[in-house]
Amino acid sequence: MSVPILNASGCLDALAAPAVARSLDGFVTKTVTPLPRDGNPPVRIAETDVGMLNSIGLQNPGIEAFVTDHLPQLAQLAVPIWVSVGGFTAADYAETCAALDPRPEVAALELNVSCPNVEEAPESIAELVAAARAETSKPLYAKLSPAVPDIAELARAAETSGADGLSLVNTIRGLALDERTLAPRLARGAGGLSGPALKPLALAAIFACRLATDLPIVGMGGVQTGNDALELLAVGACAVSLGTVLFADPEAPARVRRELGDAAAAHGFASAADAVGAAHTARGEPALVRDQPKVSV
Amino acid sequence: MGAYTLLRVERGGLEPGIPGQFFMLSPPGRLLPRPMSVCLAPPGELAFLLEVVGPGTRALAALDSGAELAVFGPLGNGFRLDVGRPLLVGGGVGIAPFPYASEALGGPRAVLGFRSAAHAEAAALVPQAEVVLEPTYVTECLPGGEWDVLACGPEPMLERVRALAPTAQLAWEAPMACGYGGCYGCVVEVEGRLKRLCVDGPVLEAAA
Ligand SMILES: Cc1cc2nc3c(=O)[nH]c(=O)nc-3n(C[C@H](O)[C@H](O)[C@H](O)COP(=O)(O)OP(=O)(O)OC[C@H]3O[C@@H](n4cnc5c(N)ncnc54)[C@H](O)[C@@H]3O)c2cc1C
Ligand SMILES: Cc1cc2nc3c(=O)[nH]c(=O)nc-3n(C[C@H](O)[C@H](O)[C@H](O)COP(=O)(O)O)c2cc1C
Ligand code: FES
């Protein structure tokens, strides 16, 4: 039983880089909204010493063009396709999920209820998940932000509202200044912080959610190496997504998979999957005696 | 190379691409790679001309000889070379693709602008280049007549070339995280539509 390696939403265009997509166990699309979106004005990205900032602003073709133009092309790749679904109201999520539900090309839906670059929907996460659940029988993953007081509570709310899994974590809001002018480097000011800086937040979020729910967790945030991936598994993820690392290393999926196998072996695990939850058992957590959840791709 | 650094890399089996295409270079210690135009591509080698403007270019310029460097490419769309009367117009480190372009085009006429004599030393990489120093701008010194302009340089220069030569091919810059279409960081507006400069550019037709 190997650990699925996916890309993080918004970090890979499978049509522009089909070979990279094929090196994954599943491809996650950039977030799709009901209507097309131009996204935010440039400058949209900036590197910092500990990560990167982005304010892409959910640029996407809208669900109609996605379903008619993109989905058939994505299906040609013969990689399971997860569609990331976004919106501004519960009705938006419902509409997009309803459009995707009948499509056999779609393996799973990931609800982006945590984009730091757009105004948040006024409804609670429970309402957004429930609205999506009512429209689809596909596996439904809720993608949460670590920038909340109690992520375990949100995880439980997502579970009660019908989510089948969690994607942890999205970026958190950050800002960088131009060295000389002291003006914000991104046109929008703040953006989402990803990369190495996010890893401790991802570890804490996954750790807490694994204790709070039975849902399978796709872990992401700052994974650069197989050892980083092993840590996400140890706190309770059962699949790992690669985001920012793909920008510098398009061959990261194969490399991280290989390094993860080596790192698991070095820790005495028969396979990487056996490392899932190791951080909890290492502390003697009774809560994890139950079955380990699985992400199926 | 005067005020710039010429970074030479063994390229192993990598294709050098066509002039105007670029590679992503991973500076040691930085999270993201940096886009750099192919400057020269002698057998077995790739050379890049770089100007130090921040942490990434600083780390690249400080590489010791013999150091390993991750490069990814060639990427993007280069210049169309099927032109009858090529004229290379470059400003500053924007001359970077022209040594390679000049070679591919058989040494066409070139007008290159720089902000100082030290910067202008890099013009030696382009055969027969006419050098213009600030405060005069290249766009004030373009030869009369009909030319197929290939231009690369700062945005105001490209805008001016676009106004003077509507058939020009212009090589633009945008901040890039990935260089291969994944991040949507490099989006620019072309003919009212949003395009990723790394896959639809960096060379665009002026009329677009
Ligand atoms: C297709 C392409 C080809 C390029 N070819 C070359 C080349 O051959 N030689 C060369 O020296 N440079 C080239 N550049 C620019 C080079 O990539 C940037 O200067 C470099 O990424 C800056 O990194 P840094 O960390 O040193 O500075 P940063 O800290 O990233 O930036 C320093 C300053 O420059 C600005 N800046 C950074 N990147 C860009 C950009 N892409 N466009 C405009 N302003 C920017 C920043 O806003 C900041 O004010 C190219 C860019 C592109 C898109
Ligand atoms: C350029 C960029 C664009 C992103 N776009 C999206 C998006 O459209 N939807 C989404 O749910 N997450 C998006 N993310 C967040 C990632 O999916 C991921 O949660 C985050 O980057 C953490 O992983 P990393 O540290 O490995 O990059 C984006 C991240 C980056 C860097
Ligand atoms: S640089 Fe990432 S899409 Fe162009």
Side-chain angles (χ1 to χ4, degrees):
Chain A
M1 182 53 217
S2 71
V3 170
I5 296 192
L6 316 173
N7 66 292
S9 172
C11 298
L12 180 69
D13 176 354
L15 300 180
V20 181
R22 285 197 199 95
S23 72
L24 295 160
D25 299 301
F27 169 72
V28 186
T29 69
K30 180 147 186 71
T31 297
V32 184
T33 54
L35 295 175
R37 283 176 57 83
D38 284 349
N40 292 331
V43 174
R44 293 175 164 194
I45 50 167
E47 189 199 60
T48 75
D49 281 338
V50 290
M52 72 171 278
L53 297 171
N54 85 80
S55 76
I56 309 304
L58 299 187
Q59 180 179 346
N60 80 92
I63 187 64
E64 206 179 305
F66 175 80
V67 167
T68 48
D69 303 341
H70 295 231
L71 203 46
Q73 293 183 61
L74 289 172
Q76 307 277 316
L77 295 167
V79 174
I81 296 163
W82 291 37
V83 181
S84 169
V85 172
F88 302 93
T89 63
D92 284 352
Y93 286 86
E95 179 188 336
T96 309
C97 289
L100 292 165
D101 185 64
R103 303 303 302 233
E105 305 95 322
V106 178
L109 302 177
E110 181 178 86
L111 301 180
N112 177 3
V113 290
S114 48
C115 183
N117 291 320
V118 295
E119 292 306 315
E120 260 164 49
E123 288 101 337
S124 70
I125 282 172
E127 288 169 305
L128 301 181
V129 174
R133 178 78 290 166
E135 299 297 336
T136 183
S137 53
K138 303 257 188 215
L140 202 56
Y141 282 72
K143 183 166 178 182
L144 306 180
S145 161
V148 293
D150 184 359
I151 196 166
E153 185 190 316
L154 294 184
R156 276 189 295 263
E159 185 173 32
T160 332
S161 310
D164 299 305
L166 300 171
S167 293
L168 302 171
V169 294
N170 211 323
T171 57
I172 57 173
R173 204 166 288 173
L175 188 141
L177 300 182
D178 184 286
E179 203 168 89
R180 282 159 302 193
T181 62
L182 297 183
R185 286 166 61 191
L186 299 181
R188 285 274 303 235
L193 179 67
S194 65
L198 208 53
K199 195 180 84 172
L201 286 83
L203 290 174
I206 297 166
F207 191 92
C209 291
R210 180 70 183 99
L211 289 175
T213 78
D214 282 328
L215 297 177
I217 296 170
V218 180
M220 71 200 84
V223 176
Q224 299 277 114
T225 66
N227 220 41
D228 297 330
L230 185 77
E231 289 190 355
L232 293 194
L233 298 181
V235 290
C238 46
V240 173
S241 299
L242 307 179
T244 303
V245 68
L246 290 171
F247 302 155
D249 182 8
E251 288 169 15
R255 175 178 60 79
V256 169
R257 194 179 284 119
R258 189 176 64 243
E259 291 173 353
L260 175 59
D262 294 348
H267 281 86
F269 296 110
S271 80
D274 293 325
V276 174
H280 299 273
T281 28
R283 301 164 93 215
E285 281 294 345
L288 289 188
V289 179
R290 66 197 178 203
D291 280 350
Q292 285 185 358
K294 299 249 184 315
V295 171
S296 48
V297 288
Chain B
M1 251 2 263
Y4 304 115
T5 303
L6 190 68
L7 180 67
R8 297 169 54 193
V9 198
E10 267 176 46
R11 78 167 126 102
L14 278 182
E15 290 296 324
I18 61 170
Q21 284 192 297
F22 66 97
F23 281 76
M24 295 300 281
L25 277 53
S26 293
R30 304 308 307 179
L31 182 63
L32 298 176
R34 303 298 197 272
M36 293 289 156
S37 311
V38 185
C39 177
L40 282 166
E45 201 181 294
L46 277 178
F48 303 95
L49 185 71
L50 53 104
E51 176 172 25
V52 174
V53 296
T57 44
R58 197 174 305 132
L60 288 171
L63 280 170
D64 289 324
S65 114
E68 297 234 333
L69 175 70
V71 305
F72 180 63
L75 298 163
N77 294 316
F79 291 107
R80 266 187 304 104
L81 300 173
D82 58 342
V83 290
R85 297 204 58 193
L87 172 69
L88 308 179
V89 179
V93 78
I95 73 150
F98 290 154
Y100 191 34
S102 177
E103 192 183 291
L105 291 165
R109 196 160 171 185
V111 188
L112 309 178
F114 298 93
R115 61 179 174 276
S116 80
H119 290 87
E121 282 179 40
L125 294 168
V126 183
Q128 306 163 49
E130 297 154 45
V131 170
V132 180
L133 287 186
E134 283 185 22
T136 309
Y137 291 124
V138 270
T139 44
E140 299 168 55
C141 303
L142 299 184
E146 291 282 307
W147 297 96
D148 298 309
V149 174
L150 285 65
C152 183
E155 213 169 298
M157 183 201 102
L158 294 180
E159 288 297 355
R160 190 78 194 113
V161 171
R162 188 212 291 269
L164 295 169
T167 60
Q169 304 177 58
L170 310 175
W172 298 89
E173 277 191 18
M176 293 184 176
C178 72
Y180 66 98
C183 71
Y184 282 81
C186 64
V187 162
V188 294
E189 203 178 309
V190 181
E191 292 176 316
R193 298 190 56 193
L194 296 172
K195 302 265 185 188
R196 285 166 293 181
L197 199 66
C198 68
V199 286
D200 294 309
V203 178
L204 300 172
E205 302 288 336

